[in-house]
Amino acid sequence: MERKKSIRRAVLAAAALLYLGSLWTWKKMQPFENRVPLVLSRPISAEDGQRIRDAEGEEEEPVGFCFWGETGEQMVSCRETGGSARVNRIVLSGNPELLGAGSLAWRDGCLVDTASALALFGTDRCENQNLIAGEQVYPVVGIRDDARPAMVSRAEGTQAVLNRCVLAIPSAQGRVLGEQFLMRWGLEGTVLDFSPFRALCRNLLLLFPGVLLGSLGLSLEKERKNLTLEGIRSRKQLPLLGKSLLGIVILLGSLWLLGRQVTIPRDMIPSRWSDFSFWSQWWESQRENFQRILTTSLGSQ
């Protein structure tokens, strides 16, 4: 008996840990729920990005996007304070709000992380301070919560540095619409499909409630064993019978509601169930997709 209780506690503890981990991951992924990243195999310049932006705006149903790329580490400084910092330069072209750089949507300048701001200016309240990068001067228009030192600014000139893109489209249709976007503008690249991972994370959030419902089912089974026909006929066990029936109704209703919350990616459903090669092809495509995600630096994302 004690062993069964220990096993039940261990299962509940494991389910609770998975639930908390999934909840944390889900919250982290929420800001990118309707954003799909692309990786370009052939980089484009800032001028190309601006050209695509102007042409996309003339489409009947334009797609919001932001191209971006990393130009490597660079030493930046502040003439007034004499401070300096080595930062990772990130340049972008398109809608900056899709990369959390909304301040650049209406002002020219740059964004820096908190640690770099403290090293450069001695404070993180440094809006309108000037930052020198190479031969150019950038006014600081905001602070970013980056894990590593970073400076974000708009891309300029013809240098081909933009090799990634974020599309503002529903993640469920990400692969199809992303490939259409690449084809429409003659771009070469791949779509990073996060929808299977979102679905897995969402389904893991149902694990802990499912375990609790399973525990409720076991308790109801124990109470059912205590019911006897004689006890029911003598009405002594009618309260216990009513409690058991109510518990069964609650259990079945909860399982039905829980089942309706399970998420299955659309591309995981075959068009013909007799297509037995579908699953091997699907798993292979997901393996390649997962490898692309692991080997691609998402930088400011």
Side-chain angles (χ1 to χ4, degrees):
M1 182 64 69
E2 287 298 324
R3 184 178 180 183
K4 289 183 178 180
K5 288 183 178 179
S6 298
I7 293 175
R8 179 182 293 187
R9 293 193 190 100
V11 171
L12 286 172
L17 289 175
L18 276 174
Y19 175 80
L20 293 175
S22 300
L23 185 61
W24 180 84
T25 306
W26 179 256
K27 288 184 177 180
K28 287 290 185 181
M29 296 174 70
Q30 279 301 97
F32 307 102
E33 177 66 21
N34 293 315
R35 300 178 191 178
V36 174
L38 310 178
V39 177
L40 305 182
S41 54
R42 180 169 56 86
I44 65 173
S45 66
E47 291 183 354
D48 291 333
Q50 185 61 45
R51 174 182 57 81
I52 293 174
R53 180 181 180 183
D54 294 339
E56 182 68 29
E58 298 177 359
E59 291 288 313
E60 184 176 348
E61 295 182 1
V63 173
F65 65 87
C66 185
F67 290 104
W68 63 284
E70 300 181 11
T71 64
E73 290 189 348
Q74 182 177 357
M75 186 66 71
V76 296
S77 61
C78 173
R79 183 179 292 115
E80 288 76 13
T81 64
S84 62
R86 182 172 293 277
V87 297
N88 182 52
R89 286 293 305 274
I90 299 173
V91 293
L92 50 84
S93 175
N95 183 359
E97 294 182 356
L98 296 179
L99 286 175
S103 300
L104 296 177
W106 56 84
R107 293 182 62 187
D108 292 329
C110 70
L111 303 173
V112 293
D113 66 287
T114 302
S116 297
L118 292 173
L120 288 164
F121 312 110
T123 176
D124 58 357
R125 302 180 66 179
C126 55
E127 287 79 359
N128 300 319
Q129 295 277 4
N130 289 325
L131 177 154
I132 301 174
E135 298 180 354
Q136 292 182 293
V137 178
Y138 296 87
V140 177
V141 299
I143 299 295
R144 283 172 56 87
D145 186 19
D146 281 303
R148 55 177 176 167
M151 169 187 170
V152 183
S153 62
R154 286 188 176 276
E156 300 174 352
T158 59
Q159 186 179 8
V161 295
L162 305 174
N163 59 357
R164 278 159 283 187
C165 181
V166 175
L167 302 180
I169 55 180
S171 55
Q173 303 173 343
R175 176 168 293 183
V176 174
L177 296 180
E179 291 175 351
Q180 290 177 356
F181 181 86
L182 291 171
M183 187 178 302
R184 181 159 65 246
W185 303 117
L187 302 174
E188 299 176 7
T190 55
V191 181
L192 299 185
D193 185 10
F194 283 86
S195 58
F197 304 100
R198 290 191 180 95
L200 176 62
C201 183
R202 182 181 176 87
N203 292 338
L204 283 176
L205 288 175
L206 306 176
L207 179 62
F208 187 60
V211 171
L212 290 180
L213 289 175
S215 179
L216 174 61
L218 292 175
S219 299
L220 291 174
E221 176 63 18
K222 289 182 179 180
E223 291 186 358
R224 185 195 64 80
K225 291 181 178 180
N226 294 328
L227 289 172
T228 61
L229 186 59
E230 292 77 8
I232 296 174
R233 286 177 175 175
S234 63
R235 299 184 178 181
K236 292 181 179 181
Q237 291 185 329
L238 285 181
L240 181 60
L241 177 62
K243 180 182 177 182
S244 299
L245 292 176
L246 179 61
I248 291 173
V249 171
I250 294 174
L251 177 62
L252 294 177
S254 300
L255 289 174
W256 179 76
L257 290 174
L258 204 64
R260 288 177 61 87
Q261 300 301 316
V262 173
T263 302
I264 300 177
R266 291 183 180 181
D267 63 347
M268 194 177 178
I269 303 175
S271 57
R272 293 182 297 105
W273 290 100
S274 58
D275 184 5
F276 298 108
S277 64
F278 170 84
W279 296 108
S280 60
Q281 295 173 356
W282 188 85
W283 284 111
E284 179 63 22
S285 67
Q286 291 306 315
R287 183 184 67 81
E288 294 175 355
N289 178 58
F290 186 62
Q291 287 179 340
R292 285 196 296 267
I293 292 174
L294 288 179
T295 56
T296 301
S297 171
L298 296 182
S300 61
Q301 292 194 74

